[in-house]
Amino acid sequence: MKETLRLQYDALVIGGGIAGLQSALDLADQDFKVAVIEKDATIGGKMIRLSKVFPTLDCASCITTPKMAAAAHHDNIDLFTYCEVNSLDRSQGRLKASITQKPRYVDPDKCIGCRQCEYQCPVYVPDQEQGGFNLRKAVYIPFSNAIPQLALIDVEHCALCGKCAKVCPTEAIDYFQQPEDFVIEAKTAVLATGFKLTPMDQKKEYGQGQIPNVISSLQMERLLAPHGPYQRVIRPSDGKEPDSIAYVQCAGSRDLSLGISYCSRVCCMYAIKQAMLLSGALPLADITIYYMDIRAFGKGYEQFFQNAKAMGIEFVKAKVGRIEQGENHNVLLRIEEQEGDGRVVRREHDLVVLSLGMVPDWNPAGICPVGTGDDAFIKCVRPKLAPTLTEMEGVFVAGVAAGPKDIVDTIAEAGAAAMEASNYLNSSASGRAA
Amino acid sequence: MGKPDKEAMKALRKQRKAYIDRAQQEMKKQRKLIKAIKEQIKDEPKTVPRIASEAKLQADQVLLYVAALRKYGQVVEVDKDGDYFTYKLDAEA
């Protein structure tokens, strides 16, 4: 029987998004050996999939890509992508993580990322990296600045025609690859497991994801990105350049009918950011934001909101009660105004964006003894004085894994988690990994 | 990996039969759809609604495949016609 591979590190970071990468880099720069475990085939998390960031309107990729490259090239960091964490336990003073490497069906030591396999593959598959608005192949590299640049085969859509193996110049295709289990032992860990958006299909009143020109905020990020599905903003039902775009705020937050009572903290600002970017991309389009309250709490955020108003973006204080399919692929909104006489009115738009909220992307139940709060995010045991401490000794939390927050706060918290982990390592008697 | 063993491939095909059958059916549909779209735009650029109407296809499906064909270098965006962009086959593809 094959012996399970056991690897030793000082720190284990679970999640390769911006929080995980920042924690890993901060620890590695202090000369600790760090392993980063990522469930996707590439590191970068949600941030690498965004167009720009608020309130500076810097290119998200221009900030994230150097962090990804720095982590990939750091002597003290090893990246384990396309992996699942099965368990994380502490025994005899060390953390032990049982991990499964999912098969890519491509030999990572041979693949040179040339994409010849992808070009030859005859099967098209909806590309979720592009919000489902474009297609990829059954063998593919997730996106052009993915790290690592390694192809993988989606076996559920693979016809096993052999074309990829035939054109691969390095004979990297391995149809017989199997999942491989291995163990990482470390003294400390940082949980940076991020978030996902509230599902589109939950709210009956908003069409349950069945109205083609009602899209999510992350789908709009892809439409606005330079390497987006259409390389411009057009609506997905028929390719029309929209003249009228609406944002529905609190579409997945502060809504007890969805079981989400909390505010997701970033939706107001990302909607304003997207509205400003749309004003630039489509100068003649009317952009309306239907909101309950605008929460512009961070540094420079209120000014950003005021700038958006000055640019001509219409802010309507109203609750959207119903979204329906209109004529000519348009979308009808039934809204209750919260100013003036509070009347119910109907308005029509070419494209509608739901400002969906944040929910955790990972549940530690059954994997590690870390508790969660009523909101299902990881519980912080000292939220005011040490917000990165969890219920498990030597295990810290960073970023949205602990609760909704923006990128600025996520990066600051990731640095704090790295410092807590570093202090923990320095205070322990057994020293650093060899 | 070198050339895979014939018997091993046969066993793998049997094991993944459900996926392979589905992928092959999907491929057939896709080939037909792509052929119909390419036929429409080989001589002149057209908008998505026009391709959809003349090829009797759904506009969202046409846009999805036009976007994919653009990504893989077979279709190019040309001019704007009203609120819509036009697309044609890339002569160099």
Side-chain angles (χ1 to χ4, degrees), chain A residues 48-198:
Chain A
I48 192 66
R49 279 100 168 165
L50 303 181
S51 53
K52 295 193 178 187
V53 293
F54 59 79
T56 53
L57 295 183
D58 290 323
C59 156
S61 171
C62 304
I63 299 170
T64 321
T65 310
K67 296 262 185 211
M68 292 162 69
H73 295 124
H74 205 296
D75 287 343
N76 290 335
I77 297 177
D78 287 333
L79 301 176
F80 298 87
T81 53
Y82 213 43
C83 287
E84 288 292 341
V85 177
N86 306 312
S87 65
L88 177 69
D89 306 303
R90 178 175 284 285
S91 68
Q92 294 167 339
R94 286 186 78 78
L95 290 168
K96 195 176 92 176
S98 158
I99 292 158
T100 300
Q101 171 71 66
K102 294 180 277 184
R104 291 174 187 270
Y105 304 100
V106 169
D107 185 338
D109 297 327
K110 290 181 180 170
C111 179
I112 53 170
C114 67
R115 295 185 111 125
Q116 288 197 46
C117 53
E118 187 175 345
Y119 275 82
Q120 285 302 316
C121 175
V123 190
Y124 289 89
V125 181
D127 186 0
Q128 296 313 319
E129 293 293 351
Q130 296 286 15
F133 296 149
N134 205 326
L135 302 166
R136 58 164 171 81
K137 299 290 186 73
V139 56
Y140 65 106
I141 288 179
F143 44 84
S144 56
N145 49 355
I147 290 179
Q149 278 283 305
L150 294 174
L152 67 154
I153 295 177
D154 172 356
V155 283
E156 290 189 19
H157 293 96
C158 173
L160 216 58
C161 66
K163 284 189 179 173
C164 52
K166 254 183 219 156
V167 295
C168 180
T170 58
E171 296 187 337
I173 302 293
D174 180 359
Y175 298 120
F176 299 95
Q177 220 172 52
Q178 294 293 321
E180 279 183 31
D181 293 334
F182 63 101
V183 169
I184 287 183
E185 289 185 356
K187 292 189 70 67
T188 183
V190 176
L191 307 177
T193 46
F195 73 98
K196 57 186 177 188
L197 291 182
T198 48

